[in-house]
């Protein structure tokens, strides 16, 4: 008898192939957590952490997995899943330490710039030739380091440019480095990480993080106090200047002017400038042309909305840092529901911890759902599967119970497939739930239905029209 293949070995071989075919982020999120559990008669059983997980893999990676399993086990090779069900009923309430307040902006009122050297009378020593540089507080928040910044497709360019700049401040083509992107996508975090890394690698360099608002206020004060020279000199001696949210310079001509001169001085002297903004230079209004053209000298890198995998990774990292464990399904639910803004994602996570620890309630999917309903107010109300079924039935003039039955009559089958297709695309319900609502079908049937509808839309114009009419009706709830 041929010696039985070792299941662990088989899975390791599969992973090797898979690794080459998916991004490293996806690999980490979806494949590392899988455990092979047995192999008998060419059926490899793997264990996945949740139903959601299983569906995601089936939907996105099944072709790849099938191929690799067949390669390993021959044409007869098959795959089975074993799903660990989260036992939320027995989950204990989590007692958690709520992370220290708002880490977003470091407020340190004792440091006002241009700095006070503590040497009464000499407000700014830098204008005196030959005087040593005074230690400038960098104003950096240690929580915003590269170590806590998760990489994903959404931030790859900006992250790697940031890394390059940290290794050789002022010595790359990325000068200035302009990081732009929407609210809460990590601009401040990344800009600070660059500063932190440089401080670590080059302790002798003077790094300064400042928001454009603070810069503006200081400049106005300097005008009032008649010491704009000091102000200019102070900024011109910085080695790495990080200015956050430069869009606030818009319309402030004098401040822009001051910044322009500081920028030129630093740039000419090989010093590094890092800027962030909520828009790319071409879309910045109220900004002087000469300044905009400077912004374009280096690299503008954008931060985009993170994909599901990156959102999960960010939450996992936070949990780890806070020493908290959330049930996998809760984590997935959060990452799945909050899609556009990392700050909101973190906010939801923190309120969930707070709720649980204040009310001594376990963090369950139920609690997460209630909380998200309150938290994510502005998202459009989600249509329900029932509603979709009703619209589809009205449209094809079929009774609802027929659609919900198991019948295989042709006209019912198609309507049911269409309902599944919309439920998949317009609700957050799992494939299993959708299947259950539509005649007790399983997730594979739902997937098949979605593919069929997509194919028909590609090939049949009339069918495509049905679908778009239906879509309008469903959206008009
Ligand atoms: P922005 O400045 O673009 O508005 P922030 O840098 O303040 O956004 O980020 C908002 C929150 O999201 C911060 O708490 C930050 O730590 C977190 N965050 C953003 N991007 C990432 C990332 N890639 N990995 C981990 N945390 C992130
Ligand atoms: Mg910011």
């Amino acid at each position: 008898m041929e010696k039985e293949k070792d299941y662990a070995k088989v899975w390791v071989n599969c992973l090797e192939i898979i690794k080459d075919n998916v991004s490293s982020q996806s690999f980490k999120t979806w494949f590392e957590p899988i455990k092979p559990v047995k192999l008998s008669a060419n059926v490899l059983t793997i264990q996945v952490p949740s139903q959601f997980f299983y569906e995601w893999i089936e939907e996105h990676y099944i072709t790849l997995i099938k191929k690799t399993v067949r390669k390993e086990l021959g044409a007869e090779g098959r795959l089975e899943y074993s799903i660990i069900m989260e036992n939320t009923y027995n989950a204990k309430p989590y007692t958690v330490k709520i992370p220290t307040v708002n880490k977003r902006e470091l407020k340190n009122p004792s440091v006002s710039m241009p700095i006070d050297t503590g040497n009464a009378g000499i407000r700014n020593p830098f204008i005196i030739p030959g005087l040593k540089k005074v230690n400038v507080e960098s104003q950096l928040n240690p929580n915003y380091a590269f170590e806590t910044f998760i990489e994903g497709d959404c931030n790859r360019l900006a992250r790697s440019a940031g890394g390059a700049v940290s290794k050789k401040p002022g010595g790359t083509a990325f000068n200035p480095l302009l990081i732009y992107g929407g609210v809460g996508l990590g601009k401040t975090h990344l800009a600070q990480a660059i500063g932190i890394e440089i401080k670590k690698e080059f302790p002798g360099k003077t790094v300064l993080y400042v928001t454009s608002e603070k810069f503006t206020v200081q400049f106005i004060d300097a005008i009032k106090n008649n010491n704009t020279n000091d102000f200019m000199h102070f900024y011109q001696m910085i080695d790495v200047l990080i200015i956050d949210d430069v869009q606030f310079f818009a319309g402030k001509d004098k401040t822009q002017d001051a910044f322009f001169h500081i920028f030129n001085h630093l740039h000419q002297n090989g010093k590094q400038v890092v800027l962030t903004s909520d828009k790319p230079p071409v879309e910045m209004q109220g900004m002087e042309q000469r300044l905009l053209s400077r912004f374009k000298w280096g690299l503008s890198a954008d931060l985009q909305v993170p994909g599901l995998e990156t959102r999960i990774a960010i939450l996992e990292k936070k949990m780890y840092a806070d020493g908290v464990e959330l049930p996998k399904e809760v984590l997935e639910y959060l990452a799945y529901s909050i899609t556009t803004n990392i700050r909101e994602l973190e906010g939801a996570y923190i309120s969930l911890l707070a709720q649980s620890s204040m009310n001594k309630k376990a963090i369950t999917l139920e609690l997460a759902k209630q909380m998200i309903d309150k938290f994510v107010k502005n998202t459009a109300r989600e249509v329900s599967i029932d509603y979709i079924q009703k619209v589809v039935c009205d449209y094809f003039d079929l009774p609802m119970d027929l659609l919900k039955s198991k019948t295989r009559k042709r006209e019912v089958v198609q309507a049911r497939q269409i309902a599944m297709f919309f439920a998949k695309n317009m609700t957050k319900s799992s494939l299993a739930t959708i299947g259950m609502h539509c005649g007790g079908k399983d997730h594979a049937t739902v997937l098949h239905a979605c593919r069929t509808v997509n194919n028909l839309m590609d090939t049949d114009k009339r069918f495509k029209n049905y679908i778009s009419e239906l879509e309008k009706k469903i959206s008009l709830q």
Side-chain angles (χ1 to χ4, degrees):
M1 201 180 88
E2 199 196 346
K3 197 164 156 268
E4 261 213 27
K5 280 194 182 169
D6 173 7
Y7 62 86
K9 184 78 185 28
V10 168
W11 184 240
V12 167
N13 292 344
C14 290
L15 285 183
E16 293 259 304
I17 304 174
I18 290 168
K19 202 167 198 165
D20 287 339
N21 286 285
V22 301
S23 73
S24 65
Q25 185 81 60
S26 311
F27 187 79
K28 257 181 126 149
T29 312
W30 303 113
F31 293 97
E32 279 183 4
I34 295 179
K35 285 199 196 108
V37 285
K38 73 175 188 229
L39 177 68
S40 58
N42 284 333
V43 181
L44 174 69
T45 308
I46 56 174
Q47 190 180 57
V48 294
S50 67
Q51 174 75 25
F52 172 85
F53 205 97
Y54 154 66
E55 288 184 357
W56 185 271
I57 289 178
E58 278 277 285
E59 192 176 349
H60 296 268
Y61 300 110
I62 194 58
T63 323
L64 174 62
I65 296 185
K66 258 190 197 152
K67 264 192 205 151
T68 30
V69 167
R70 292 218 178 105
K71 208 164 176 181
E72 281 302 309
L73 299 177
E76 298 295 297
R78 279 200 302 120
L79 191 69
E80 267 180 21
Y81 297 86
S82 139
I83 300 168
I84 309 176
M85 285 300 171
E86 239 94 29
N87 187 348
T88 38
Y89 301 104
N90 289 337
K92 294 211 181 64
Y94 293 83
T95 319
V96 290
K97 208 177 77 218
I98 308 296
T100 36
V101 261
N102 204 338
K103 301 170 191 155
R104 239 152 269 151
E105 192 105 8
L106 190 75
K107 295 226 167 65
N108 187 352
S110 68
V111 186
S112 64
M113 286 175 294
I115 48 158
D116 198 325
T117 61
N119 217 343
I122 310 177
R123 184 166 160 72
N124 189 325
F126 308 113
I127 46 169
I128 302 169
L131 203 79
K132 287 206 306 282
K133 272 188 191 175
V134 165
N135 216 5
V136 175
E137 282 280 346
S138 292
Q139 312 284 313
L140 293 165
N141 176 346
N143 292 318
Y144 284 156
F146 278 137
E147 288 76 33
T148 52
F149 190 83
I150 297 286
E151 272 186 75
D153 293 334
C154 55
N155 57 36
R156 188 120 22 236
L157 175 66
R159 168 65 182 83
S160 57
V165 163
S166 319
K167 286 201 188 75
K168 268 176 112 181
T172 68
F174 311 147
N175 200 12
L177 173 61
L178 173 69
I179 302 163
Y180 67 91
V183 179
L185 294 183
K187 301 182 293 293
T188 299
H189 189 144
L190 189 55
Q192 292 235 8
I194 297 170
I196 292 171
E197 190 69 15
I198 295 177
K199 256 332 243 186
K200 205 160 78 190
E201 294 293 317
F202 309 93
K205 285 205 188 290
T206 310
V207 177
L208 181 68
Y209 167 89
V210 64
T211 62
S212 60
E213 286 133 310
K214 199 160 184 176
F215 182 94
T216 306
V217 169
Q218 287 170 1
F219 179 63
I220 293 169
D221 281 351
I223 295 178
K224 266 196 229 140
N225 301 329
N226 250 332
N227 53 12
T228 50
N229 266 345
D230 296 1
F231 175 87
M232 298 300 284
H233 279 112
F234 172 80
Y235 273 98
Q236 287 174 353
M237 56 136 243
I238 303 293
D239 295 319
V240 179
L241 179 61
I242 305 166
I243 303 205
D244 205 358
D245 289 322
V246 290
Q247 72 272 10
F248 288 118
F249 284 154
K252 303 187 175 98
D253 295 348
K254 284 220 166 106
T255 313
Q256 284 185 36
D257 205 40
F259 177 62
F260 179 74
H261 287 291
I262 291 166
F263 178 92
N264 284 341
H265 181 93
L266 294 179
H267 200 270
Q268 275 159 20
N269 288 286
K271 306 298 172 68
Q272 180 70 45
V273 178
V274 177
L275 308 168
T276 79
S277 161
D278 66 352
K279 345 178 161 53
V282 280
E283 288 169 26
M284 286 186 212
Q285 312 220 316
M287 208 71 94
E288 281 180 47
Q289 211 45 52
R290 54 180 188 165
L291 207 49
L292 286 181
S293 83
R294 295 296 188 275
F295 290 173
K296 292 181 204 153
W297 277 1
L299 176 75
S300 306
D302 65 331
L303 295 178
Q304 290 179 353
V305 173
L308 177 65
E309 289 149 21
T310 310
R311 298 200 298 275
I312 292 180
I314 288 173
L315 283 179
E316 280 175 342
K317 187 116 192 173
K318 281 222 66 81
M319 274 175 21
Y320 184 76
D322 298 341
V324 171
E325 253 184 76
L326 293 192
K328 187 94 183 160
E329 54 181 357
V330 170
L331 186 88
E332 287 160 352
Y333 183 75
L334 287 183
Y336 208 71
S337 315
I338 301 183
T339 55
T340 53
N341 180 325
I342 301 172
R343 188 175 297 146
E344 259 180 31
L345 187 65
E346 287 186 354
Y349 156 83
I350 291 172
S351 349
L352 192 59
L353 297 192
Q355 282 245 5
S356 154
S357 96
M358 274 187 305
N359 307 333
K360 304 239 179 307
K361 273 192 194 158
I363 300 180
T364 58
L365 192 56
E366 212 33 58
L367 186 67
K369 282 184 175 159
Q370 286 168 10
M371 211 253 340
I372 293 268
D373 278 348
K374 274 185 246 150
F375 206 89
V376 191
K377 295 176 222 86
N378 299 331
T379 51
R381 196 154 52 94
E382 190 184 292
V383 293
S384 68
I385 301 179
D386 283 339
Y387 183 78
I388 290 173
Q389 289 178 325
K390 186 179 172 312
V391 176
V392 172
C393 283
D394 287 353
Y395 190 82
F396 291 112
D397 207 11
L398 285 175
M400 268 272 255
D401 39 352
L402 211 53
L403 191 120
K404 288 180 177 241
S405 77
K406 286 192 184 310
T407 176
R408 300 216 180 155
K409 276 191 186 152
R410 216 189 112 60
E411 67 280 13
V412 183
V413 170
Q414 186 155 80
R416 194 186 287 131
Q417 287 181 328
I418 292 173
M420 290 175 175
F421 167 84
F422 281 117
K424 168 79 177 68
N425 290 326
M426 300 175 88
T427 75
K428 292 192 190 97
S429 309
S430 74
L431 296 170
T433 310
I434 296 171
M436 214 169 58
H437 275 76
C438 300
K441 306 290 179 186
D442 65 6
H443 82 281
T445 312
V446 181
L447 270 187
H448 174 71
C450 295
R451 285 196 202 110
T452 309
V453 171
N454 275 319
N455 286 341
L456 277 172
M457 281 202 295
D458 286 345
T459 51
D460 183 340
K461 242 190 161 153
R462 222 180 39 187
F463 184 83
K464 195 175 170 169
N465 285 339
Y466 289 158
I467 298 293
S468 51
E469 270 184 53
L470 269 167
E471 187 177 345
K472 277 191 209 116
K473 286 187 202 291
I474 295 170
S475 320
L476 278 179
Q477 68 159 337

